[in-house]
Amino acid sequence: MHSYDYVVVGAGSAGCVVAARLSQDPETRVLLVEAGTPDGPASMAVPPAWPSLIGSSADWGFVTVPQPGTAQVVHPYPRGKVFGGSSSINAMAFLRGHRAGYDAWAAGGATGWGYDDLLPYFKRSERAAGRDPRHRGTDGPMPVAPPRNGHPLAYVYLEAAAEAGHPTSPDLNGEHQEGVAWLETNIVDGRRFSVADGYLRPALTRPNLTVISSALVHRVVVRGGRCTGIEYSVNGDPRSARAEREVILSAGSIGSAQLLMLSGIGPAAHLREHGLGVLADLPGVGANLQDHPLAGITYSATRPVPPTANQHSDLIAMVRTRPGLASPDLQLIFLDIMYHPPTLIGPEHGYTIGFSLMRPHSRGSVRLAGADPAAAPLIDPGFLRDERDVETMVTGLRMAREVGETEALAGWRGKEELPGAAVQDDAELAAYVRSVTGPYFHPVGTCRIGDDPLGVVDTELRVHGIDGLRVVDASVMPSIVAANPNATVIAIAERAAALITA
Ligand SMILES: Cc1cc2nc3c(=O)[nH]c(=O)nc-3n(C[C@H](O)[C@H](O)[C@H](O)COP(=O)(O)OP(=O)(O)OC[C@H]3O[C@@H](n4cnc5c(N)ncnc54)[C@H](O)[C@@H]3O)c2cc1C
């Protein structure tokens, strides 16, 4: 059996950062194990093609369990299975959440994870030219920039948003985390730039970093309360690796929870139900799953909407649905394509204004379907389980409609097709919201930081009750950040690497 100082599971957003940072010390031997392949389909590089990656060879191809909150629909639930993980199939938006979200983590017991604590790691990770260096990084591994050539419709949306009363933010990732702004993305010279491109590929020549791809990790190995390594397979061939110092799980909000449970770390009754021995009864493993619910209002266009070279939402807005809220709770997404369920018939030419709840109350779970490591887990994001989320989504629809009905958009607007201008009262709008809401693909929270009975890791991301085992990925977030999560996952991994090497 091969032995390393650190074994990192999963070459996704977090795993690429952790493996790259730990292997900076040439004396430290690091193994990174990934179920996917180094490269995905050619279309992975092409920004507007990202929706086609759902269901591709670079996706695990998971689905949710039927969602009672969204008309019992079984939603696709893509997760990247390739170097870069979900950052290689995502929509490339690079956005920090409002500082209030991180400060709430710290106030809730996640000491060291407030916005000011994370700011040096946000800055360390990014390369944002021409931005205010008090708030932004200028020489990190991840290039981030607003679109070079905005879509023609995006300029009209900008006027429409101003007409509807939304102020412009000069930089949503800087001091002004509210308002309308050009969306910053990880696109370089018209091509996707994943976390593998930023962190892992430049480190691949290091002799102290070993990367094994197409390797499915089955479980972590624990002896006498200490994690000593992992068991995995390549093409069905069983293998194991030893970690002298630590195993770091970076398998994502679905994979890390699944692997802990397969290893006997999780809710005891659920593990026994599947014949698994219990090493640590941690009821929080797989609980607290959160995602941003996403829906849209769709208009027919008076003419064909030209194709984009970007990722379809050059402009976004972070807004408050009620006065008195401490920070924005809704994202408006100004799309240059139509986004609605395939079961609804949209116009021939059109566009959608998306809206997504940034601080949902609904919670779901990840559970095992069985003890087989190759079996897909049961994913229940609990979309719109909490009635308050439906109410805020209805407000979001009204806010999107206000922008959609502006004079500025008159030249593009045919008519409101979905739900249709006749749909006005709260009950009808709520029914529409339930019929069209789907995932924004932002699962977090299933191995959350906390010292309470539902906490899974401590404030240094060490799994409670097991030595030598950490979780570093989106799953440790106590609550969902008010933004697309990738930038935050990278900052979390940067800080984790600093904690590990301190
Ligand atoms: C379609 C889509 C669009 C998105 N759009 C955006 C966006 O525009 N902006 C944004 O900020 N966020 C977006 N996200 C979310 C964002 O990409 C993720 O939050 C982030 O990448 C999660 O990072 P992670 O390290 O937690 O997990 P991942 O990046 O998912 O990495 C987990 C890795 O672990 C591997 N793994 C899992 N289980 C095992 C196992 N048993 N054995 C071996 N390897 C394993 C996986 O193959 C994967 O490579 C999107 C996600 C998707 C799927």
Side-chain angles (χ1 to χ4, degrees):
M1 186 197 318
H2 289 287
S3 181
Y4 304 85
D5 294 308
Y6 296 100
V7 173
V8 182
V9 176
S13 296
C16 287
V17 176
V18 171
R21 290 299 185 200
L22 295 183
S23 62
Q24 273 176 334
D25 173 5
E27 302 300 316
T28 301
R29 296 158 307 146
V30 178
L31 171 67
L32 175 62
V33 186
E34 164 59 41
T37 47
D39 300 301
S43 56
M44 220 168 78
V46 183
W50 74 263
S52 73
L53 300 169
I54 299 174
S56 74
S57 60
D59 174 15
W60 285 82
F62 294 148
V63 295
T64 68
V65 299
Q67 292 294 285
T70 59
Q72 297 295 345
V73 169
V74 170
H75 300 278
Y77 214 64
R79 304 278 82 214
K81 189 180 185 184
V82 62
F83 281 8
S86 298
S87 81
S88 290
I89 65 165
N90 73 9
M92 295 150 282
F94 201 77
L95 191 65
R96 295 177 198 169
H98 192 278
R99 60 157 53 235
Y102 308 95
D103 292 345
W105 294 355
T111 310
W113 298 97
Y115 187 73
D116 290 336
D117 303 309
L118 275 172
L119 185 57
Y121 302 99
F122 278 119
K123 290 171 74 171
R124 183 178 293 182
S125 68
E126 68 176 5
R127 189 156 78 244
R131 296 296 199 180
D132 180 349
R134 286 176 305 155
H135 302 281
R136 305 300 306 272
T138 53
D139 58 359
M142 295 301 292
V144 45
R148 211 186 284 168
N149 298 303
H151 190 278
L153 191 53
Y155 289 95
V156 182
Y157 275 139
L158 188 61
E159 283 174 44
E163 191 183 326
H166 298 295
T168 305
S169 162
D171 182 1
L172 283 174
N173 284 324
E175 202 174 357
H176 303 283
Q177 298 185 294
E178 183 165 6
V180 186
W182 294 99
L183 179 65
E184 292 191 301
T185 58
N186 307 119
I187 298 174
V188 176
D189 295 332
R191 294 172 71 84
R192 169 192 298 276
F193 193 92
S194 73
V195 188
D197 296 323
Y199 284 85
L200 181 59
R201 293 193 212 284
L204 284 176
T205 51
R206 294 177 188 160
N208 59 323
L209 174 63
T210 306
V211 186
I212 304 178
S213 55
S214 303
L216 181 72
V217 177
H218 293 203
R219 61 186 63 82
V220 301
V221 178
V222 178
R223 303 245 184 276
R226 179 172 186 84
C227 183
T228 56
I230 59 166
E231 289 175 358
Y232 65 101
S233 63
V234 177
N235 295 325
D237 185 19
R239 299 189 192 177
S240 55
R242 192 175 161 76
E244 301 290 345
R245 294 194 204 162
E246 287 187 22
V247 170
I248 294 133
L249 286 184
S250 297
S253 289
I254 308 303
S256 288
Q258 183 185 18
L259 275 171
L260 284 178
M261 290 188 278
L262 287 168
S263 310
I265 302 164
H270 177 61
L271 303 185
R272 289 198 189 100
E273 193 188 314
H274 292 294
L276 292 159
V278 180
L279 293 176
D281 179 12
L282 288 182
V285 174
N288 193 43
L289 176 61
Q290 298 169 48
D291 194 349
H292 295 130
L294 173 64
I297 176 165
T298 295
Y299 295 87
S300 54
T302 50
R303 59 200 127 129
V305 181
T308 182
N310 304 325
Q311 49 74 279
H312 299 299
S313 53
D314 289 350
L315 201 74
I316 59 153
M318 301 301 301
V319 300
R320 298 175 207 222
T321 56
R322 285 181 283 129
L325 287 175
S327 58
D329 61 336
L330 189 87
Q331 189 178 80
L332 293 173
I333 306 126
F334 300 106
L335 294 161
D336 53 44
I337 49 171
M338 286 182 279
Y339 165 81
H340 57 77
T343 46
L344 297 180
I345 298 169
E348 193 185 351
H349 306 297
Y351 54 90
T352 295
I353 303 177
F355 49 95
S356 177
L357 197 50
M358 290 289 104
R359 296 192 274 126
H361 293 282
S362 302
R363 300 285 182 267
S365 64
V366 175
R367 293 285 167 244
L368 297 177
D372 177 2
L378 304 174
I379 302 171
D380 176 9
F383 285 122
L384 305 184
R385 180 167 279 157
D386 189 307
E387 198 57 40
R388 290 171 292 180
D389 291 352
V390 183
E391 284 164 23
T392 313
M393 286 293 274
V394 167
T395 307
L397 189 153
R398 291 193 197 280
M399 293 180 83
R401 185 179 258 172
E402 247 171 54
V403 179
E405 288 177 352
T406 52
E407 212 26 58
L409 274 160
W412 280 92
R413 188 174 55 239
K415 69 177 173 71
E416 183 188 314
E417 300 276 348
L418 297 170
V423 182
Q424 288 290 345
D425 75 41
D426 280 356
E428 286 175 327
L429 289 175
Y432 170 75
V433 159
R434 287 196 186 278
S435 73
V436 294
T437 292
Y440 207 166
F441 314 127
H442 297 165
V444 307
T446 55
C447 305
R448 74 162 167 83
I449 302 170
D451 284 333
D452 57 296
L454 288 175
V456 175
V457 295
D458 69 12
T459 53
E460 299 211 357
L461 312 187
R462 295 172 294 216
V463 174
H464 291 307
I466 309 282
D467 290 335
L469 180 60
R470 280 186 223 239
V471 180
V472 180
D473 57 28
S475 70
V476 303
M477 293 187 205
S479 55
I480 195 159
V481 65
N484 315 55
N486 199 34
T488 301
V489 173
I490 297 167
I492 288 173
E494 283 278 16
R495 182 160 189 268
L499 288 170
I500 294 167
T501 52

